[in-house]
Amino acid sequence: MIAEPNTASNLPSQKENAVHDETAPESAVQNGSSVRNGNLKTPSEKRKVREQCENIKRNSSSSRRVSQLQNGEVVEAVTLFEVVSMGKRAMQSVVDDWVEAYKQDRNVALLDLINFFIQCSGCQGMVTAEMFQSLHKKDVMRKMTETFDEETGLQYKKFMAYPWILTVTWPVDTDNKDYPLIRTGPYWKKFKANFCEFIAVLVQQCQCNILYDSYLMDTIISLLTGLADSMVRAFRHTSTLAAMKLLTAVVSVHLNLDVNKHNAERLYEVEKKRTSGKRTNYRLDQLERKRKEYERKLLEIQNMMNAIFKGTFLNRYRDVIPEIRATCIEEIGSWIKTYPDGFLNDSYLKYIGWMLYDKQAEVRLKCLLGLQGIYSRKELVSRMDLFTSRFKDRIVSMPLDKDHEVAVQAMKLLMLMSQNCEDVLSTEDCETLYQFVYTTHRPLAVAAGEFLYKRLLSHEGDEEVQPEGGGKFGASTDRLKRLISFFLESELHKHVAYLIDSLWDWAGKFLKDWECMTTLLLKNAEEDGEALSDAHESALIEIILATVREAAEGHPPVGRGAAKKILSVKEKKIQLEDCTKITEHFIMVLPQLLAKYSTDAQKVANLLQIPQYYDLDVYRMEHLRKHLDALLREVKDIVAKHSDMSVLEASSRTYYILCSEEIAIYSQVDRARTQLIDELMGQLNQLLDGFWQKEEGFCTDAGEISQMHSALRRVAAFHNAHDLTKWNLYDKTLRLLVFEMEHGSLPVLMILPALQCMYFSLLWQLTAVSENSPKETLFTLRRELRCFSQICMCFLHHKEKDAFMILCDWLLILSHQDSNNNEEAVGLLDYLPSTSLQEKLLLFIQKHVFMEEEEESKDLTEEEDRKDESCKLDDLHKKRSLLAAYCKLIVYNVVEMSAAAEIYKYYVKTYNDFGDIIKETLSKTRHNNKIQSTKTLILCLQQLFQTHAESQDSSSSVDFHSASFTNMKELARRFSLTFGWDQVKSRESVAMIHKEGIEFAFQGATGVGGKCLPPNLSFLLIISEFSNKLLKPDKRLVYAYLQRYIAEPLPCRGDEWQPLIWYRNSLLANEDEESSVLGSSGELSPVGTSKMSSFKRKLSNGSLPVTSQTEAEGKAPDLQCSSQLASAEGKRRKRLKSREMHLQEHLPFLCPGGLQRRYCKDEIKTEDVSKKSQAEDTTEDVDVDVVSADQDS
């Protein structure tokens, strides 16, 4: 039989002949030739088979177009494989047609089915068959082979599919590369579904009779078992999937038979009781025969199940291919769930337990999904005790899995185990799982939120059973207290938004019960002894703020979720309703809460953030205006009481939110805001007047300093969100700061808020610049801007470091201002830092970020050690903020990009603390300017090398094993990794690194003929870390550029010349020229004879110069390895010719016109030695720079 499967490209469109035309008659199969039975002995026979395989695709369309006349219409028949893969016919009718064909001639139909499975494996070869002739077992096993014939290039597989021995022959180049089950796209996804459906329907349609004929299933099972043992992945994968789906279908048949058997037994017992006393009964005998028939069928089905399980599953559940392992585990999970009486025991469960440790996430996921189906049914859980005790610890650890989906499904499985298994999870296990509500991956956090809510917060009967004295909110109060206790015990108080977001999908109704929460806060301890403690009150206020934010914004908090999700119409409606509910409730309650906690800065700062989520249109109702007055009054009192910046900023933002001109309450809030600012400015003016009236202009009284500090902070907080220009704050703060610059006697507490006030004042003036602004105003503003920059530069020495942050933000704003499309204003107000200012900024970063402070070893208690650790974290956060502010100046071209070289030096040393910031800076600068960014990298390495060389003894050579040199190589390796895998995208940058590195390495070389050791030669070891990022043509070009710096043959026996050898080897790795580079004596074979000075030509625009072919030929007589170079050159000509166009098109940076001429000359065959001498003379007389020539042309 010759099977001719189609390729993937033309499957949907081809039509082929009828099924019976594919198969040879049975007699022909039995008495087939040597080609048909697979016994290929002579080379001519093997070539014949290969030709047949290669012509399959070409001849299939013509040989199979055999038409049949049916009912007067011409119909083209197609193969079973195409019918199933196309899916255009109902699978029921396809199987019915095959069953009908089987009843007519089972051998032909079975061979058609065998051919179907071979074709589904993607085999593009030939299938032959011979009848099994009762051979001995050893002879049979000898025939079960899988070999490769090198002469014909064909792969052979011979195996038994009772009653035949099949031989599959296919070209080896199609092995394992592509087959239907792994192809992508909707067509092949549908094919897999159709394939599985075909097997299920086939078993279903055959379950009445032919399934038990001891022929059909024996053949299919032996076929699939034989294919599943193949070394070919396509055969193994396809046959394993088919076998697993076949067993699933057989299990369903077993269940139906079991039901029918029980029904027959019941009827038999009923009939037996009804006819007791009678000798014979036809009905009773009929039922007895039916019962025995069911038992016989069940026994056959059980044998089939055992054969498939032992023949395929046991061998393939640990296959090297993860898809095959996943298929096996997925199906065994369905068997256990569908037929627990047969499969729900430890003999089968152990396979799922073992595969929980699989290295592939796909397999672990299938295990968890299968276990979910089992643990979701309480009647099955009682039989899982041994499995649970053995694998519980593994399942509990799986929420930490690196694959997110596996972690989520593990948490859901633990939820089911917690619900249906009593005491299976210990208290320690639950406490560990609760903490996953704080993870950044939202699906896992939501699953953990369900576990927390159902296990800890929601108890059965909470709604019905009210605690004594609980009143209206008894059940909710109890839940709320449990939530607060959990929040405080977790000691992650800064992550309350994550906790609420995790619980939102499961406890949304409970978390929106703001009436219960505020009632609990406003309870009086004297009236109710169960009032909350101070810590519980603080936690509850944070929870209220988090729930309000979640309801009003409708998306996860920052850090959890990629971006804001698009809300549906229903979600938007719920969001608007929640905003209205929040506003109507807190309009009345918030003033009471502010009054109660007005002295607590943390509580007040959180409560004052609630109004930003109001629906301000609600204030249109007149009866709510009185609550607005109460709110404004409380906020005013809070501003007067507190000087904490978080409270003041929250108060300022509240006025900003309520002062929207579009709403009706604007005039009322604006009057209150103006009155408050007048009072604040009056206090500040009074303190300043008293300050300047002092004899020496400086007050030493701590109380007055504190008052001045508080007044300046209040004004600065409001100036941030509100325009206070009319109060002339700029002149007042300028006088104060100028006094400090002249006398240097003001405390830091006064300087920093004064700087902030001056900063905000100038920002508001910049915002007010319009197209009609007069030049006098612009010049005045320009003078003020530069004055403020000088003031900030003078205050960089302060310990608080806030002046540096202000200066960085200020420089960034000035360099990227818009000024309302006023080009003249932009030109006048534009400001870039001077060189001295840039140096001071860099020195500040080096001193306050990268300089390590000496730590004194002290014996600290546990509490002191915890506080010390907290202080270190805060200090690290401040350093990261400083570094990020400076790196923004580099990224946005405010500061010279070369300044980043000083930052990059610390990339490896401070990788854990600042590595992400430095890496992002490198990425952004490379995006802005690839060449300049690359020059910054090489500058960084050069500076480090020079520092290393200066630290070494001048008389000794460079120590390659020293810590500093090793760190340089590691830094270069990290830099090379940042270029990624796309060598074409980064080829210009990498070539620039090699060009600059070679020039630096040979810089300062002296001596006769350049034979003296260059002082920076060991720098070649550093740039060799970038050699693997070069494309092969680029390696050749860089190598040609290196040749320009190499003079006469150099003695390379010393270690001092090893960097040059190693670097050249890195450029010529895996190249044909490698043999011509190193001689057997260890000496370098030079490429040119001209002196070192003649090669030290400077390159413009980063272009790599190369020597022409004429030069190389002219200098050939002086080479040590000229014969080797000539042979290598001959081998290169074909490659160089094919790459010429590619280099010209994609790499003008590395391929100037001179190089193009060189390639052209590679193709010219020199016939006369005199021509070579003429070329040599021409080369020596005309010594031109390649780049200059290119530019002239």
Side-chain angles (χ1 to χ4, degrees):
M1 179 189 69
I2 299 177
E4 302 173 357
N6 288 325
T7 59
S9 61
N10 56 13
L11 268 177
S13 59
Q14 284 189 346
K15 301 293 182 181
E16 300 186 10
N17 62 340
V19 174
H20 60 79
D21 288 326
E22 293 183 71
T23 61
E26 185 174 355
S27 60
V29 173
Q30 295 179 9
N31 303 310
S33 63
S34 60
V35 176
R36 288 190 176 274
N37 61 28
N39 299 322
L40 303 178
K41 296 181 180 180
T42 65
S44 60
E45 291 176 346
K46 295 178 180 179
R47 284 193 297 272
K48 183 178 180 181
V49 172
R50 178 167 190 146
E51 291 172 0
Q52 289 176 339
C53 294
E54 292 173 348
N55 293 331
I56 283 172
K57 180 179 177 181
R58 189 184 315 114
N59 298 332
S60 59
S61 59
S62 60
S63 64
R64 293 180 180 177
R65 292 189 178 274
V66 180
S67 301
Q68 301 180 34
L69 189 62
Q70 297 180 0
N71 300 327
E73 297 181 0
V74 178
V75 179
E76 283 190 347
V78 293
T79 62
L80 182 61
F81 170 68
E82 285 191 334
V83 172
V84 174
S85 61
M86 290 178 185
K88 294 183 178 180
R89 291 179 58 190
M91 205 60 64
Q92 186 83 27
S93 63
V94 174
V95 173
D96 288 341
D97 292 344
W98 184 87
V99 171
E100 191 65 28
Y102 181 85
K103 291 177 180 179
Q104 295 176 8
D105 189 340
R106 64 181 186 179
N107 287 333
V108 173
L110 265 179
L111 289 173
D112 187 23
L113 187 61
I114 291 171
N115 191 46
F116 165 74
F117 284 115
I118 298 297
Q119 287 180 304
C120 288
S121 300
C123 179
Q124 301 178 11
M126 181 178 65
V127 181
T128 61
E130 56 180 325
M131 290 299 294
F132 174 55
Q133 300 290 345
S134 301
L135 299 175
H136 295 290
K137 184 176 181 181
K138 292 183 179 179
D139 296 331
V140 174
M141 295 307 296
R142 193 179 299 118
K143 285 180 175 289
M144 305 302 108
T145 60
E146 187 168 353
T147 60
F148 168 64
D149 187 274
E150 295 183 359
E151 183 177 349
T152 61
L154 297 176
Q155 188 90 3
Y156 300 94
K157 177 173 179 59
K158 180 178 288 189
F159 61 98
M160 176 179 291
Y162 186 84
W164 296 287
I165 295 178
L166 300 180
T167 302
V168 185
T169 308
W170 70 98
V172 72
D173 56 355
T174 62
D175 179 23
N176 278 338
K177 293 184 178 180
D178 188 25
Y179 55 96
L181 289 185
I182 65 172
R183 290 172 187 158
T184 57
Y187 177 82
W188 296 110
K189 185 177 180 181
K190 184 180 179 182
F191 165 78
K192 183 177 180 180
N194 292 339
F195 178 71
C196 298
E197 183 186 359
F198 173 80
I199 296 172
V201 175
L202 177 64
V203 174
Q204 180 183 1
Q205 293 301 103
C206 298
Q207 64 179 330
C208 296
N209 44 26
I210 63 176
L211 193 67
Y212 312 100
D213 63 356
S214 299
Y215 193 78
L216 170 65
M217 290 302 292
D218 289 352
T219 303
I220 295 178
I221 292 173
S222 60
L223 168 71
L224 297 179
T225 303
L227 288 176
D229 287 336
S230 172
M231 293 184 295
V232 181
R233 169 179 175 172
F235 287 151
R236 286 204 320 278
H237 191 181
T238 306
S239 59
T240 302
L241 176 62
M244 296 300 99
K245 292 298 181 181
L246 183 66
L247 181 50
T248 302
V250 170
V251 168
S252 300
V253 174
H254 188 285
L255 292 175
N256 294 334
L257 286 174
D258 200 39
V259 172
N260 294 335
K261 176 189 171 185
H262 285 300
N263 291 338
E265 288 177 346
R266 289 177 59 191
L267 290 174
Y268 178 81
E269 294 297 331
V270 172
E271 189 68 23
K272 186 177 181 180
K273 290 179 180 179
R274 189 173 65 85
T275 61
S276 60
K278 294 183 180 181
R279 290 186 177 180
T280 58
N281 187 308
Y282 175 76
R283 174 66 175 167
L284 196 62
D285 294 341
Q286 185 182 21
L287 290 173
E288 177 67 15
R289 287 193 301 270
K290 185 176 290 187
R291 185 173 64 83
K292 289 182 179 180
E293 181 184 356
Y294 285 140
E295 289 178 353
R296 180 185 62 81
K297 289 183 176 180
L298 281 172
L299 182 59
E300 290 189 25
I301 290 293
Q302 190 65 44
N303 291 335
M304 296 177 194
M305 292 164 57
N306 291 335
I308 298 174
F309 185 83
K310 294 178 180 179
T312 303
F313 180 89
L314 289 182
N315 294 327
R316 299 277 68 83
Y317 83 94
R318 45 189 183 174
D319 194 280
V320 294
I321 305 301
E323 291 87 348
I324 297 177
R325 301 199 301 273
T327 299
C328 294
I329 296 302
E330 180 180 14
E331 294 306 316
I332 195 175
S334 93
W335 305 335
I336 295 174
K337 184 178 178 182
T338 306
Y339 184 30
D341 293 336
F343 289 96
L344 186 55
N345 56 67
D346 297 323
S347 299
Y348 295 98
L349 286 171
K350 64 183 180 182
Y351 300 111
I352 298 181
W354 292 341
M355 301 312 288
L356 287 171
Y357 297 89
D358 195 274
K359 293 182 180 180
Q360 293 296 324
E362 180 184 2
V363 182
R364 300 194 299 272
L365 182 62
K366 296 299 182 183
C367 294
L368 293 172
L369 294 175
L371 291 174
Q372 286 179 16
I374 300 171
Y375 278 101
S376 61
R377 297 169 58 180
K378 283 190 176 182
E379 68 273 13
L380 302 181
V381 172
S382 59
R383 300 157 65 178
M384 299 277 293
D385 293 340
L386 183 59
F387 177 87
T388 302
S389 61
R390 169 65 178 81
F391 295 104
K392 184 204 73 172
D393 293 339
R394 169 59 180 162
I395 297 174
V396 171
S397 68
M398 291 186 77
L400 291 169
D401 197 282
K402 63 181 181 180
D403 185 84
H404 290 319
E405 187 61 26
V406 172
V408 172
Q409 297 304 327
M411 185 62 71
K412 291 182 179 180
L413 174 59
L414 289 165
M415 181 71 248
L416 294 173
M417 294 173 65
S418 174
Q419 287 178 332
N420 298 328
C421 302
E422 295 181 2
D423 302 328
V424 66
L425 297 178
S426 63
T427 305
E428 292 77 11
D429 293 335
C430 292
E431 289 177 354
T432 301
L433 297 174
Y434 292 156
Q435 300 304 316
F436 283 96
V437 296
Y438 296 108
T439 185
T440 56
H441 183 59
R442 192 172 191 274
L444 177 58
V446 171
E450 179 188 9
F451 184 83
L452 173 64
Y453 179 71
K454 294 182 178 179
R455 179 89 183 186
L456 183 66
L457 302 180
S458 177
H459 292 167
E460 293 183 3
D462 276 355
E463 300 296 334
E464 292 79 11
V465 180
Q466 300 290 344
E468 294 184 5
K472 179 180 177 183
F473 307 106
S476 297
T477 301
D478 189 41
R479 283 187 202 171
L480 199 54
K481 289 182 178 179
R482 288 198 293 268
L483 177 61
I484 294 171
S485 299
F486 167 76
F487 176 56
L488 293 176
E489 290 170 2
S490 64
E491 297 181 355
L492 293 170
H493 59 283
K494 295 182 180 180
H495 298 79
V496 63
Y498 279 20
L499 172 61
I500 297 303
D501 182 59
S502 302
L503 293 169
W504 195 255
D505 292 348
W506 307 104
K509 183 178 179 181
F510 155 65
L511 294 175
K512 292 179 184 179
D513 194 355
W514 295 294
E515 186 178 357
C516 172
M517 298 179 187
T518 53
T519 301
L520 193 59
L521 282 175
L522 294 172
K523 275 186 178 180
N524 194 339
E526 298 177 357
E527 299 176 0
D528 189 352
E530 297 182 359
L532 300 176
S533 64
D534 182 69
H536 283 67
E537 287 178 340
S538 298
L540 181 54
I541 291 175
E542 291 184 37
I543 290 173
I544 290 174
L545 176 60
T547 55
V548 168
R549 188 207 65 81
E550 187 84 20
E553 295 183 352
H555 59 80
V558 177
R560 177 178 285 178
K564 295 181 180 180
K565 64 177 183 180
I566 301 176
L567 302 179
S568 62
V569 176
K570 182 180 179 180
E571 290 173 333
K572 287 182 179 179
K573 182 180 178 181
I574 295 174
Q575 182 184 18
L576 293 175
E577 292 175 352
D578 289 340
C579 286
T580 304
K581 183 180 177 182
I582 290 168
T583 308
E584 292 176 349
H585 176 72
F586 283 99
I587 276 178
M588 297 179 288
V589 176
L590 185 59
Q592 302 175 39
L593 293 173
L594 291 174
K596 181 177 180 179
Y597 301 108
S598 60
T599 57
D600 193 317
Q602 181 183 358
K603 295 185 180 71
V604 167
N606 288 327
L607 289 172
L608 284 174
Q609 295 182 50
I610 295 177
Q612 63 182 297
Y613 304 108
Y614 279 2
D615 180 10
L616 297 178
D617 291 334
V618 176
Y619 274 116
R620 295 178 183 275
M621 293 178 274
E622 291 293 333
H623 67 280
L624 296 177
R625 295 294 180 90
K626 60 180 181 180
H627 299 295
L628 177 61
D629 290 333
L631 175 63
L632 295 174
R633 187 167 55 251
E634 293 298 334
V635 174
K636 181 180 178 181
D637 293 341
I638 288 170
V639 171
K641 291 179 181 178
H642 293 275
S643 61
D644 185 85
M645 209 61 191
S646 61
V647 176
L648 296 175
E649 288 178 352
S651 303
S652 175
R653 182 167 181 78
T654 300
Y655 277 103
Y656 176 79
I657 294 296
L658 297 175
C659 268
S660 178
E661 297 183 2
E662 292 81 11
I663 59 177
I665 61 174
Y666 169 73
S667 58
Q668 182 180 355
V669 179
D670 184 54
R671 284 196 302 270
R673 178 183 61 176
T674 304
Q675 182 181 358
L676 174 61
I677 295 175
D678 284 337
E679 293 180 5
L680 295 178
M681 290 303 300
Q683 296 174 4
L684 179 61
N685 290 332
Q686 184 178 358
L687 291 171
L688 286 175
D689 291 342
F691 176 79
W692 296 120
Q693 288 176 2
K694 299 284 184 177
E695 293 183 357
E696 298 180 357
F698 175 63
C699 62
T700 57
D701 183 68
E704 292 184 6
I705 293 176
S706 177
Q707 291 180 3
M708 180 75 75
H709 170 67
S710 300
L712 285 170
R713 284 175 73 113
R714 293 188 183 101
V715 173
F718 274 84
H719 206 355
N720 187 10
H722 308 274
D723 187 4
L724 308 185
T725 306
K726 63 180 181 180
W727 279 274
N728 196 20
L729 193 59
Y730 175 82
D731 293 336
K732 297 180 176 62
T733 53
L734 175 62
R735 183 181 178 187
L736 199 62
L737 294 174
V738 170
F739 178 83
E740 163 62 17
M741 293 172 63
E742 294 175 353
H743 298 83
S745 55
L746 289 181
V748 177
L749 291 176
M750 295 174 60
I751 295 173
L752 292 179
L755 269 176
Q756 290 177 342
C757 289
M758 193 174 182
Y759 172 62
F760 294 137
S761 178
L762 290 174
L763 288 182
W764 282 107
Q765 292 184 51
L766 278 176
T767 307
V769 172
S770 63
E771 297 181 4
N772 300 324
S773 298
K775 282 191 176 182
E776 293 77 8
T777 304
L778 295 178
F779 279 113
T780 303
L781 181 57
R782 179 184 181 183
R783 184 172 60 254
E784 293 175 351
L785 298 180
R786 279 150 178 71
C787 177
F788 179 71
S789 300
Q790 294 297 323
I791 291 174
C792 287
M793 187 169 60
C794 294
F795 286 108
L796 286 179
H797 63 277
H798 279 280
K799 295 182 180 180
E800 293 297 328
K801 309 180 184 68
D802 286 6
F804 179 83
M805 298 293 294
I806 292 174
L807 180 58
C808 288
D809 292 343
W810 179 247
L811 293 174
L812 193 62
I813 291 171
L814 289 183
S815 60
H816 291 79
Q817 58 181 311
D818 187 13
S819 296
N820 297 323
N821 299 322
N822 190 342
E823 295 182 1
E824 184 179 4
V826 172
L828 289 174
L829 303 179
D830 189 27
Y831 177 75
L832 289 176
S834 60
T835 304
S836 61
L837 178 55
Q838 294 186 35
E839 292 176 355
K840 288 186 177 181
L841 291 173
L842 181 58
L843 289 174
F844 183 91
I845 286 295
Q846 291 176 327
K847 179 180 179 180
H848 293 90
V849 175
F850 295 115
M851 187 175 294
E852 297 182 357
E853 299 178 359
E854 297 183 0
E855 298 183 1
E856 299 180 2
S857 57
K858 297 180 180 179
D859 295 332
L860 302 177
T861 62
E862 184 177 351
E863 183 178 355
E864 290 175 344
D865 186 60
R866 191 184 303 111
K867 290 182 179 179
D868 183 60
E869 192 68 25
S870 177
C871 292
K872 288 181 179 179
L873 289 175
D874 293 340
D875 185 56
L876 176 61
H877 178 70
K878 292 179 181 178
K879 288 182 177 181
R880 286 175 59 85
S881 300
L882 293 173
L883 181 60
Y886 181 74
C887 288
K888 280 195 292 185
L889 298 181
I890 298 174
V891 169
Y892 290 102
N893 299 320
V894 179
V895 172
E896 293 287 343
M897 193 180 295
S898 59
E902 295 294 332
I903 305 297
Y904 296 159
K905 293 178 182 178
Y906 302 94
Y907 181 51
V908 175
K909 185 178 180 181
T910 63
Y911 184 80
N912 292 333
D913 295 336
F914 312 114
D916 56 335
I917 299 176
I918 298 176
K919 189 175 182 179
E920 185 67 16
T921 304
L922 178 57
S923 174
K924 294 292 186 182
T925 53
R926 183 173 295 158
H927 181 267
N928 294 340
N929 190 327
K930 288 195 296 185
I931 298 301
Q932 188 61 35
S933 175
T934 303
K935 289 184 177 180
T936 304
L937 290 183
I938 197 67
L939 175 63
C940 170
L941 296 174
Q942 290 172 355
Q943 290 176 353
L944 285 174
F945 183 84
Q946 288 175 339
T947 304
H948 170 77
E950 291 172 0
S951 64
Q952 299 288 319
D953 187 2
S954 59
S955 61
S956 62
S957 59
V958 177
D959 185 6
F960 300 147
H961 303 288
S962 63
S964 59
F965 196 86
T966 304
N967 292 336
M968 273 190 291
K969 281 184 65 68
E970 176 62 19
L971 180 61
R973 188 185 70 84
R974 296 284 186 95
F975 284 162
S976 69
L977 292 177
T978 61
F979 288 104
W981 295 102
D982 192 349
Q983 293 178 309
V984 176
K985 184 178 180 181
S986 60
R987 63 189 311 188
E988 284 191 46
S989 301
V990 177
M992 173 63 70
I993 288 178
H994 285 274
K995 167 189 169 297
E996 298 284 345
I998 291 171
E999 291 179 354
F1000 178 77
F1002 288 94
Q1003 190 176 27
T1006 58
V1008 179
K1011 292 184 179 180
C1012 183
L1013 179 71
N1016 300 333
L1017 187 66
S1018 56
F1019 189 74
L1020 294 176
L1021 282 179
I1022 306 298
I1023 62 172
S1024 66
E1025 296 291 337
F1026 299 90
S1027 297
N1028 62 335
K1029 296 298 180 182
L1030 285 169
L1031 295 170
K1032 287 185 179 180
D1034 300 346
K1035 285 185 178 181
R1036 193 170 294 109
L1037 295 177
V1038 173
Y1039 176 59
Y1041 185 61
L1042 178 66
Q1043 294 172 356
R1044 300 175 62 119
Y1045 289 87
I1046 300 174
E1048 297 290 339
L1050 300 175
C1052 302
R1053 299 183 183 276
D1055 291 341
E1056 63 273 9
W1057 290 98
Q1058 286 300 315
L1060 180 58
I1061 298 175
W1062 290 338
Y1063 181 59
R1064 294 177 69 169
N1065 287 343
S1066 70
L1067 293 178
L1068 296 177
N1070 301 323
E1071 292 289 334
D1072 296 334
E1073 297 87 355
E1074 188 170 7
S1075 61
S1076 66
V1077 176
L1078 294 175
S1080 59
S1081 62
E1083 294 182 356
L1084 286 172
S1085 55
V1087 182
T1089 58
S1090 59
K1091 296 182 180 181
M1092 180 77 70
S1093 58
S1094 66
F1095 290 105
K1096 294 178 61 178
R1097 305 187 182 103
K1098 298 300 180 181
L1099 301 172
S1100 61
N1101 300 324
S1103 299
L1104 287 178
V1106 293
T1107 56
S1108 65
Q1109 181 68 19
T1110 308
E1111 291 176 341
E1113 292 176 356
K1115 298 165 186 174
D1118 296 327
L1119 298 180
Q1120 281 188 340
C1121 304
S1122 59
S1123 61
Q1124 295 179 353
L1125 283 174
S1127 63
E1129 196 69 28
K1131 295 179 182 179
R1132 290 168 51 195
R1133 285 174 182 170
K1134 292 183 179 180
R1135 293 200 302 271
L1136 293 175
K1137 182 179 178 181
S1138 63
R1139 288 171 179 167
E1140 179 181 350
M1141 296 303 298
H1142 175 76
L1143 288 171
Q1144 293 178 18
E1145 180 179 358
H1146 297 285
L1147 200 59
F1149 170 77
L1150 286 172
C1151 188
L1155 185 60
Q1156 180 179 351
R1157 292 192 295 273
R1158 174 189 177 186
Y1159 286 170
C1160 294
K1161 292 174 183 177
D1162 282 339
E1163 302 176 21
I1164 301 174
K1165 296 182 179 179
T1166 55
E1167 299 178 356
D1168 193 355
V1169 179
S1170 61
K1171 295 182 180 179
K1172 293 184 179 180
S1173 60
Q1174 292 175 5
E1176 181 179 357
D1177 296 338
T1178 305
T1179 304
E1180 293 296 325
D1181 294 339
V1182 186
D1183 188 12
V1184 297
D1185 191 289
V1186 177
V1187 176
S1188 301
D1190 296 337
Q1191 292 174 346
D1192 294 338
S1193 59

